[in-house]
Short mmCIF file of all heavy atoms in Angstrom, two decimals:
data_model
loop_
_atom_site.label_atom_id
_atom_site.label_comp_id
_atom_site.label_asym_id
_atom_site.label_seq_id
_atom_site.Cartn_x
_atom_site.Cartn_y
_atom_site.Cartn_z
N PHE A 237 11.49 -18.17 8.32
CA PHE A 237 10.08 -17.96 7.87
C PHE A 237 9.25 -17.48 9.06
O PHE A 237 8.74 -18.30 9.82
CB PHE A 237 9.50 -19.26 7.26
CG PHE A 237 10.19 -19.61 5.96
CD1 PHE A 237 11.38 -20.27 5.93
CD2 PHE A 237 9.55 -19.30 4.74
CE1 PHE A 237 11.99 -20.63 4.72
CE2 PHE A 237 10.14 -19.65 3.55
CZ PHE A 237 11.35 -20.30 3.54
N GLU A 238 9.19 -16.19 9.23
CA GLU A 238 8.47 -15.60 10.36
C GLU A 238 7.34 -14.73 9.79
O GLU A 238 7.55 -13.67 9.23
CB GLU A 238 9.41 -14.77 11.22
CG GLU A 238 10.51 -15.62 11.84
CD GLU A 238 11.37 -14.85 12.80
OE1 GLU A 238 10.98 -13.70 13.18
OE2 GLU A 238 12.43 -15.34 13.19
N SER A 239 6.11 -15.21 10.02
CA SER A 239 4.94 -14.55 9.41
C SER A 239 4.69 -13.14 9.96
O SER A 239 3.99 -12.34 9.35
CB SER A 239 3.69 -15.41 9.61
OG SER A 239 3.46 -15.69 10.99
N GLY A 240 5.32 -12.81 11.11
CA GLY A 240 5.21 -11.48 11.62
C GLY A 240 5.86 -10.47 10.70
O GLY A 240 5.56 -9.25 10.80
N PHE A 241 6.76 -10.90 9.85
CA PHE A 241 7.45 -9.99 8.89
C PHE A 241 6.93 -10.20 7.47
O PHE A 241 7.62 -9.85 6.51
CB PHE A 241 8.94 -10.26 8.93
CG PHE A 241 9.63 -9.71 10.17
CD1 PHE A 241 9.73 -10.47 11.30
CD2 PHE A 241 10.13 -8.42 10.18
CE1 PHE A 241 10.38 -9.96 12.44
CE2 PHE A 241 10.77 -7.89 11.30
CZ PHE A 241 10.87 -8.69 12.44
N ASP A 242 5.75 -10.78 7.32
CA ASP A 242 5.21 -11.05 5.98
C ASP A 242 5.04 -9.76 5.15
O ASP A 242 5.22 -9.75 3.93
CB ASP A 242 3.91 -11.81 6.04
CG ASP A 242 4.14 -13.30 6.13
OD1 ASP A 242 5.29 -13.73 6.12
OD2 ASP A 242 3.13 -14.04 6.24
N GLN A 243 4.63 -8.66 5.79
CA GLN A 243 4.46 -7.43 5.03
C GLN A 243 5.78 -6.96 4.45
O GLN A 243 5.88 -6.55 3.29
CB GLN A 243 3.84 -6.34 5.91
CG GLN A 243 3.54 -5.03 5.12
CD GLN A 243 2.55 -5.26 4.00
OE1 GLN A 243 1.41 -5.65 4.20
NE2 GLN A 243 3.00 -4.98 2.77
N GLU A 244 6.81 -6.98 5.28
CA GLU A 244 8.13 -6.57 4.79
C GLU A 244 8.63 -7.51 3.66
O GLU A 244 9.24 -7.04 2.72
CB GLU A 244 9.14 -6.61 5.98
CG GLU A 244 8.91 -5.52 7.02
CD GLU A 244 7.96 -5.88 8.13
OE1 GLU A 244 7.15 -6.86 7.90
OE2 GLU A 244 7.95 -5.21 9.17
N LEU A 245 8.32 -8.80 3.83
CA LEU A 245 8.72 -9.76 2.81
C LEU A 245 7.98 -9.51 1.49
O LEU A 245 8.57 -9.50 0.40
CB LEU A 245 8.40 -11.19 3.31
CG LEU A 245 8.75 -12.34 2.37
CD1 LEU A 245 10.23 -12.39 2.07
CD2 LEU A 245 8.29 -13.66 3.02
N PHE A 246 6.68 -9.27 1.61
CA PHE A 246 5.90 -8.95 0.41
C PHE A 246 6.37 -7.66 -0.28
O PHE A 246 6.39 -7.54 -1.49
CB PHE A 246 4.40 -8.87 0.77
CG PHE A 246 3.51 -8.72 -0.38
CD1 PHE A 246 3.65 -9.50 -1.54
CD2 PHE A 246 2.45 -7.78 -0.38
CE1 PHE A 246 2.79 -9.34 -2.64
CE2 PHE A 246 1.61 -7.64 -1.47
CZ PHE A 246 1.76 -8.43 -2.58
N ASP A 247 6.76 -6.67 0.55
CA ASP A 247 7.29 -5.43 -0.04
C ASP A 247 8.53 -5.67 -0.88
O ASP A 247 8.74 -4.99 -1.92
CB ASP A 247 7.62 -4.42 1.10
CG ASP A 247 6.38 -3.88 1.77
OD1 ASP A 247 5.27 -3.97 1.16
OD2 ASP A 247 6.50 -3.34 2.90
N VAL A 248 9.37 -6.62 -0.48
CA VAL A 248 10.55 -6.96 -1.26
C VAL A 248 10.14 -7.53 -2.62
O VAL A 248 10.67 -7.14 -3.68
CB VAL A 248 11.44 -7.97 -0.54
CG1 VAL A 248 12.59 -8.48 -1.46
CG2 VAL A 248 12.04 -7.36 0.71
N PHE A 249 9.15 -8.40 -2.62
CA PHE A 249 8.70 -9.00 -3.89
C PHE A 249 8.00 -7.98 -4.77
O PHE A 249 8.11 -8.01 -5.98
CB PHE A 249 7.82 -10.22 -3.64
CG PHE A 249 8.58 -11.44 -3.35
CD1 PHE A 249 8.84 -11.86 -2.04
CD2 PHE A 249 9.08 -12.23 -4.37
CE1 PHE A 249 9.62 -12.99 -1.78
CE2 PHE A 249 9.83 -13.36 -4.13
CZ PHE A 249 10.09 -13.74 -2.83
N LYS A 250 7.27 -7.05 -4.17
CA LYS A 250 6.71 -5.96 -4.93
C LYS A 250 7.77 -5.10 -5.59
O LYS A 250 7.61 -4.72 -6.76
CB LYS A 250 5.77 -5.11 -4.03
CG LYS A 250 4.50 -5.78 -3.63
CD LYS A 250 3.49 -4.81 -3.06
CE LYS A 250 3.94 -4.30 -1.69
NZ LYS A 250 2.90 -3.42 -1.09
N ASP A 251 8.84 -4.86 -4.89
CA ASP A 251 9.94 -4.12 -5.47
C ASP A 251 10.58 -4.88 -6.63
O ASP A 251 10.92 -4.31 -7.65
CB ASP A 251 10.98 -3.86 -4.38
CG ASP A 251 12.15 -3.02 -4.89
OD1 ASP A 251 11.93 -1.88 -5.33
OD2 ASP A 251 13.31 -3.53 -4.85
N PHE A 252 10.74 -6.18 -6.44
CA PHE A 252 11.30 -7.03 -7.52
C PHE A 252 10.40 -6.89 -8.77
O PHE A 252 10.92 -6.79 -9.90
CB PHE A 252 11.35 -8.51 -7.10
CG PHE A 252 12.44 -8.82 -6.12
CD1 PHE A 252 12.38 -10.00 -5.35
CD2 PHE A 252 13.53 -8.04 -5.98
CE1 PHE A 252 13.42 -10.33 -4.47
CE2 PHE A 252 14.57 -8.32 -5.08
CZ PHE A 252 14.49 -9.49 -4.34
N LYS A 253 9.08 -6.96 -8.56
CA LYS A 253 8.19 -6.91 -9.72
C LYS A 253 8.22 -5.52 -10.37
O LYS A 253 8.23 -5.39 -11.60
CB LYS A 253 6.76 -7.24 -9.32
CG LYS A 253 5.78 -7.25 -10.46
CD LYS A 253 4.52 -7.97 -10.18
CE LYS A 253 3.66 -8.11 -11.44
NZ LYS A 253 2.45 -8.87 -11.21
N THR A 254 8.25 -4.46 -9.55
CA THR A 254 8.28 -3.10 -10.13
C THR A 254 9.52 -2.91 -10.94
O THR A 254 9.52 -2.25 -12.00
CB THR A 254 8.25 -2.08 -8.95
OG1 THR A 254 7.05 -2.21 -8.25
CG2 THR A 254 8.39 -0.65 -9.51
N LYS A 255 10.63 -3.50 -10.51
CA LYS A 255 11.90 -3.35 -11.22
C LYS A 255 12.05 -4.42 -12.34
O LYS A 255 13.15 -4.47 -12.97
CB LYS A 255 13.06 -3.44 -10.26
CG LYS A 255 13.09 -2.22 -9.32
CD LYS A 255 14.19 -2.30 -8.27
CE LYS A 255 14.19 -1.07 -7.36
NZ LYS A 255 15.15 -1.14 -6.28
N GLU A 256 11.02 -5.21 -12.54
CA GLU A 256 10.92 -6.14 -13.67
C GLU A 256 12.13 -7.10 -13.71
O GLU A 256 12.80 -7.24 -14.74
CB GLU A 256 10.78 -5.40 -14.99
CG GLU A 256 9.55 -4.54 -15.08
CD GLU A 256 9.41 -3.82 -16.41
OE1 GLU A 256 10.43 -3.64 -17.10
OE2 GLU A 256 8.26 -3.45 -16.71
N ILE A 257 12.39 -7.75 -12.60
CA ILE A 257 13.50 -8.73 -12.60
C ILE A 257 13.18 -9.87 -13.53
O ILE A 257 12.03 -10.27 -13.68
CB ILE A 257 13.86 -9.22 -11.19
CG1 ILE A 257 12.70 -10.14 -10.64
CG2 ILE A 257 14.13 -8.06 -10.22
CD1 ILE A 257 13.12 -10.88 -9.38
N SER A 258 14.21 -10.42 -14.12
CA SER A 258 14.04 -11.58 -15.04
C SER A 258 14.48 -12.88 -14.39
O SER A 258 14.08 -13.93 -14.83
CB SER A 258 14.90 -11.35 -16.31
OG SER A 258 16.25 -11.11 -15.96
N ASP A 259 15.30 -12.78 -13.30
CA ASP A 259 15.75 -13.94 -12.56
C ASP A 259 15.82 -13.61 -11.06
O ASP A 259 15.97 -12.46 -10.67
CB ASP A 259 17.14 -14.40 -13.03
CG ASP A 259 17.04 -15.14 -14.36
OD1 ASP A 259 16.66 -16.33 -14.35
OD2 ASP A 259 17.39 -14.54 -15.41
N LEU A 260 15.70 -14.65 -10.28
CA LEU A 260 15.72 -14.46 -8.82
C LEU A 260 16.72 -15.43 -8.21
O LEU A 260 16.72 -16.65 -8.51
CB LEU A 260 14.35 -14.68 -8.20
CG LEU A 260 14.31 -14.68 -6.65
CD1 LEU A 260 14.66 -13.29 -6.09
CD2 LEU A 260 12.94 -15.11 -6.15
N ILE A 261 17.57 -14.91 -7.30
CA ILE A 261 18.44 -15.75 -6.47
C ILE A 261 17.92 -15.71 -5.05
O ILE A 261 17.89 -14.62 -4.44
CB ILE A 261 19.90 -15.28 -6.53
CG1 ILE A 261 20.39 -15.27 -7.96
CG2 ILE A 261 20.77 -16.19 -5.66
CD1 ILE A 261 21.77 -14.57 -8.11
N LEU A 262 17.38 -16.81 -4.54
CA LEU A 262 16.83 -16.87 -3.20
C LEU A 262 17.83 -17.56 -2.27
O LEU A 262 18.14 -18.74 -2.47
CB LEU A 262 15.50 -17.64 -3.24
CG LEU A 262 14.81 -17.85 -1.87
CD1 LEU A 262 14.42 -16.53 -1.22
CD2 LEU A 262 13.56 -18.72 -2.06
N ASP A 263 18.34 -16.80 -1.31
CA ASP A 263 19.43 -17.30 -0.46
C ASP A 263 18.84 -17.80 0.86
O ASP A 263 18.39 -17.06 1.70
CB ASP A 263 20.40 -16.18 -0.18
CG ASP A 263 21.73 -16.66 0.39
OD1 ASP A 263 21.74 -17.73 1.03
OD2 ASP A 263 22.75 -15.97 0.19
N LEU A 264 18.81 -19.17 0.98
CA LEU A 264 18.26 -19.84 2.18
C LEU A 264 19.36 -20.57 2.96
O LEU A 264 19.08 -21.50 3.67
CB LEU A 264 17.16 -20.80 1.75
CG LEU A 264 15.97 -20.24 0.98
CD1 LEU A 264 15.08 -21.31 0.48
CD2 LEU A 264 15.17 -19.26 1.88
N ARG A 265 20.59 -20.11 2.80
CA ARG A 265 21.72 -20.81 3.40
C ARG A 265 21.61 -21.02 4.92
O ARG A 265 22.04 -22.01 5.47
CB ARG A 265 23.03 -20.09 3.11
CG ARG A 265 23.61 -20.39 1.77
CD ARG A 265 24.87 -19.64 1.49
NE ARG A 265 24.62 -18.26 1.02
CZ ARG A 265 25.58 -17.52 0.51
NH1 ARG A 265 26.85 -17.96 0.44
NH2 ARG A 265 25.33 -16.32 0.07
N TYR A 266 21.05 -20.02 5.60
CA TYR A 266 21.02 -20.06 7.06
C TYR A 266 19.56 -20.13 7.57
O TYR A 266 19.29 -19.70 8.70
CB TYR A 266 21.75 -18.85 7.61
CG TYR A 266 23.04 -18.59 6.94
CD1 TYR A 266 23.28 -17.39 6.24
CD2 TYR A 266 24.03 -19.57 6.89
CE1 TYR A 266 24.50 -17.18 5.58
CE2 TYR A 266 25.23 -19.36 6.24
CZ TYR A 266 25.47 -18.18 5.59
OH TYR A 266 26.64 -18.01 4.90
N ASN A 267 18.67 -20.63 6.75
CA ASN A 267 17.25 -20.61 7.08
C ASN A 267 16.79 -22.00 7.50
O ASN A 267 16.66 -22.92 6.69
CB ASN A 267 16.44 -20.14 5.89
CG ASN A 267 15.02 -19.80 6.27
OD1 ASN A 267 14.35 -20.52 7.03
ND2 ASN A 267 14.50 -18.66 5.77
N GLY A 268 16.57 -22.19 8.82
CA GLY A 268 16.17 -23.47 9.39
C GLY A 268 14.71 -23.72 9.33
O GLY A 268 14.22 -24.77 9.83
N GLY A 269 13.90 -22.78 8.79
CA GLY A 269 12.44 -23.05 8.65
C GLY A 269 11.61 -22.01 9.37
O GLY A 269 12.01 -20.84 9.58
N GLY A 270 10.40 -22.44 9.76
CA GLY A 270 9.48 -21.53 10.41
C GLY A 270 8.07 -21.73 9.94
O GLY A 270 7.61 -22.85 9.71
N ASP A 271 7.34 -20.63 9.74
CA ASP A 271 5.90 -20.68 9.40
C ASP A 271 5.62 -21.17 7.99
O ASP A 271 6.14 -20.55 7.02
CB ASP A 271 5.26 -19.29 9.60
CG ASP A 271 5.33 -18.85 11.07
OD1 ASP A 271 5.37 -19.72 11.94
OD2 ASP A 271 5.37 -17.64 11.30
N VAL A 272 4.75 -22.16 7.83
CA VAL A 272 4.33 -22.61 6.52
C VAL A 272 3.71 -21.49 5.75
O VAL A 272 3.86 -21.40 4.52
CB VAL A 272 3.36 -23.79 6.69
CG1 VAL A 272 2.70 -24.12 5.36
CG2 VAL A 272 4.10 -25.02 7.23
N THR A 273 2.96 -20.60 6.42
CA THR A 273 2.28 -19.52 5.75
C THR A 273 3.28 -18.63 4.97
O THR A 273 3.01 -18.19 3.85
CB THR A 273 1.40 -18.69 6.71
OG1 THR A 273 0.72 -17.69 6.02
CG2 THR A 273 2.24 -18.05 7.79
N SER A 274 4.41 -18.34 5.58
CA SER A 274 5.41 -17.47 4.89
C SER A 274 6.07 -18.21 3.72
O SER A 274 6.43 -17.62 2.71
CB SER A 274 6.46 -17.01 5.89
OG SER A 274 5.87 -16.27 6.92
N ALA A 275 6.20 -19.55 3.84
CA ALA A 275 6.70 -20.36 2.74
C ALA A 275 5.74 -20.27 1.55
O ALA A 275 6.16 -20.21 0.40
CB ALA A 275 6.90 -21.80 3.20
N ASN A 276 4.47 -20.26 1.88
CA ASN A 276 3.44 -20.13 0.82
C ASN A 276 3.55 -18.77 0.14
O ASN A 276 3.44 -18.69 -1.09
CB ASN A 276 2.05 -20.31 1.44
CG ASN A 276 0.98 -20.62 0.41
OD1 ASN A 276 0.90 -19.98 -0.63
ND2 ASN A 276 0.12 -21.58 0.69
N LEU A 277 3.79 -17.71 0.89
CA LEU A 277 3.91 -16.40 0.34
C LEU A 277 5.07 -16.35 -0.65
O LEU A 277 4.92 -15.88 -1.79
CB LEU A 277 4.15 -15.34 1.44
CG LEU A 277 4.09 -13.86 1.05
CD1 LEU A 277 3.71 -13.02 2.24
CD2 LEU A 277 5.44 -13.39 0.50
N ILE A 278 6.26 -16.83 -0.24
CA ILE A 278 7.41 -16.77 -1.11
C ILE A 278 7.20 -17.61 -2.37
O ILE A 278 7.45 -17.15 -3.51
CB ILE A 278 8.66 -17.30 -0.37
CG1 ILE A 278 9.16 -16.22 0.62
CG2 ILE A 278 9.80 -17.66 -1.36
CD1 ILE A 278 10.43 -16.57 1.33
#
């Protein structure tokens, strides 16, 4: 969770919405944490 990449992260979610996904698989297998603000975004 690195807030310096929040724009890139938001772009992924905008793409998901444009493509009208019905389900999401969020892979956090190797994610040890980071900024609370980016957690809020996701």
Side-chain angles (χ1 to χ4, degrees):
F237 290 82
E238 297 185 13
S239 56
F241 286 89
D242 274 359
Q243 184 60 61
E244 290 88 341
L245 180 60
F246 186 45
D247 288 342
V248 171
F249 278 96
K250 288 193 292 184
D251 182 61
F252 286 161
K253 182 162 186 176
T254 298
K255 293 177 179 174
E256 299 181 339
I257 69 168
S258 55
D259 283 284
L260 174 65
I261 302 171
L262 177 61
D263 196 334
L264 300 173
R265 277 180 277 192
Y266 315 120
N267 194 317
D271 296 332
V272 169
T273 182
S274 300
N276 196 315
L277 188 156
I278 284 184

